[in-house]
Amino acid sequence: MTQQGDIGSGVGFTALAAAAGRAVETSRPDRLIDDPLASAFVAASDSPVPLPVRWPAPDAVLSDREALLLHGSGYVGLRSRFCDDQLRRDGVGQVVVLAAGLDTRAFRLDWPAGTRLFEIEQPSVLHFKDTVLRAQGAVPRCARTTVGVDLRGDWADALTTAGFDVHRPAIWLAEGLLQYLPADAERALFEQVDALSAPGSHLVVERSANLARLAAGEHDRLREIGERTGIAMDRLVDPGARPDPGLWLAEHGWTVTEHPVTEIAEHYRRDLADPRLPRSAPTSAPGPSAPGPSVSTSFLCARR
Ligand SMILES: C[S@@+](CC[C@H](N)C(=O)[O-])C[C@H]1O[C@@H](n2cnc3c(N)ncnc32)[C@H](O)[C@@H]1O
């Protein structure tokens, strides 16, 4: 369990980097989301890596690191908006955010009356998050419950003990998560989601298409990006081979639709190879939390 840690280290740091990405997105003139709490997390942290929280002025001179992180924020903004729209469209009464990190959807989206939103995450990340939210006087717009538990273990009991109702449909979100789980834990995660999902439930998953490629040399590329950004993604992701989640879900009675990132970017008119950023930055640069489109190539939306 060496990859775990608090907000400034280990995989918890990826939550901070994703929040920085949403802060940048929030400051863009062409923003896709509005997350006013995101920059507060970065400000309250003792980040070992300076994370940009604002979109640069047109004449700004950017370092290689800043340009890479800003490329990543363009992807984080896009995926946040896509997932927002999936959650909003479906409007199911129970929402479960798996590995919620510093996600503030409970605070920033309008939820139908009676919505219960569960955030599952490492206790240390939730502790940091709630400290900042309290200091900001943030008030959730739904019934928010946090569940501090390790997603590599049996987390279903903790969720039901926290009030999740297995007899009601839910919408599950796994955004920026799978690449950090060992293959066995990923399999167990889908099994637990499946067992807890009443008919009418939905699941939105960011799949990480790079995992197979990591074994075939992509690891070197991730290491290089880690050296340039200061975020050692190569040490955080788990390259273990695993079944295709789309096939697994279909075999277990879910109706699955796959949305490639290119299609999503076109839909939201987001140029992920933003020409306003220096050319030296690869167009598929990993973002802070993750990864640009060469790493996460699609989202799965499933219904049962
Ligand atoms: C890239 S962040 C994504 C957070 C959030 N979903 C978002 O998009 O901003 C990955 C998150 O996964 C969490 N995580 C990774 N492995 C975990 C585990 N075994 N148990 C609980 N949380 C885990 C980390 O703590 C981190 O918050």
Side-chain angles (χ1 to χ4, degrees):
M1 306 233 167
T2 50
Q3 64 161 338
Q4 303 301 295
D6 61 20
I7 203 69
S9 66
V11 75
F13 178 69
T14 65
L16 189 66
R22 288 188 290 270
V24 173
E25 181 69 31
T26 300
S27 73
R28 285 177 72 137
D30 59 346
R31 73 183 67 85
L32 295 173
I33 62 154
D34 190 16
D35 187 351
L37 291 164
S39 60
F41 294 119
V42 182
S45 73
D46 193 10
S47 172
V49 178
L51 298 169
V53 290
R54 290 201 65 74
W55 187 244
D59 55 354
V61 177
L62 302 174
S63 66
D64 178 58
R65 183 183 52 74
E66 287 167 328
L68 277 170
L69 293 174
L70 288 164
H71 269 295
S73 74
Y75 174 70
V76 169
L78 176 68
R79 88 172 183 196
S80 301
R81 173 59 183 273
F82 175 77
C83 294
D84 284 1
D85 288 347
Q86 297 307 313
L87 298 180
R88 273 199 283 246
R89 182 176 319 137
D90 294 312
V92 181
Q94 296 188 107
V95 181
V96 184
V97 186
L98 298 159
L102 304 175
D103 174 337
T104 59
R105 290 190 173 91
F107 302 83
R108 67 180 176 82
L109 297 185
D110 280 329
W111 296 101
T115 301
R116 292 211 66 177
L117 185 148
F118 298 87
E119 296 181 5
I120 306 185
E121 179 52 66
Q122 299 187 69
S124 60
V125 173
L126 287 174
H127 175 74
F128 171 80
K129 180 176 189 174
D130 283 339
T131 304
V132 175
L133 290 171
R134 263 195 307 279
Q136 294 295 312
V139 179
R141 298 186 186 186
C142 58
R144 170 182 180 254
T145 303
T146 57
V147 184
V149 68
D150 192 319
L151 283 162
R152 290 171 295 181
D154 176 3
W155 47 266
D157 279 354
L159 182 62
T160 49
T161 303
F164 179 84
D165 184 349
V166 292
H167 302 295
R168 292 176 61 203
I171 179 157
W172 304 83
L173 176 63
E175 179 190 25
L177 167 64
L178 295 186
Q179 61 266 36
Y180 305 111
L181 293 180
D184 285 352
E186 179 179 318
R187 271 192 290 273
L189 179 109
F190 283 116
E191 282 164 11
Q192 291 180 79
V193 168
D194 186 52
L196 293 170
S197 291
S201 293
H202 296 256
L203 171 62
V204 181
V205 182
E206 182 187 19
R207 64 184 297 175
S208 298
N210 78 317
L211 294 172
R213 294 208 312 271
L214 281 176
E218 189 80 349
H219 212 264
D220 289 345
R221 179 179 165 275
L222 267 191
R223 185 164 43 237
E224 185 228 320
I225 296 289
E227 282 162 7
R228 290 167 63 193
T229 59
I231 303 173
M233 290 296 292
D234 60 309
R235 291 210 294 273
L236 296 175
V237 297
D238 191 303
R242 53 202 75 203
D244 181 310
L247 291 178
W248 190 93
L249 287 164
E251 282 163 8
H252 289 79
W254 295 72
T255 305
V256 184
T257 318
E258 182 157 10
H259 300 273
V261 167
T262 46
E263 170 201 301
I264 296 171
E266 199 176 308
H267 177 78
Y268 290 103
R269 299 177 191 281
R270 169 55 50 92
D271 182 358
L272 290 169
D274 198 312
R276 289 167 293 182
L277 298 173
R279 286 200 167 292
S280 65
T283 55
S284 57
S289 80
S294 80
V295 172
S296 303
T297 56
S298 64
F299 283 75
L300 302 176
C301 296
R303 182 181 178 123
R304 86 164 334 180

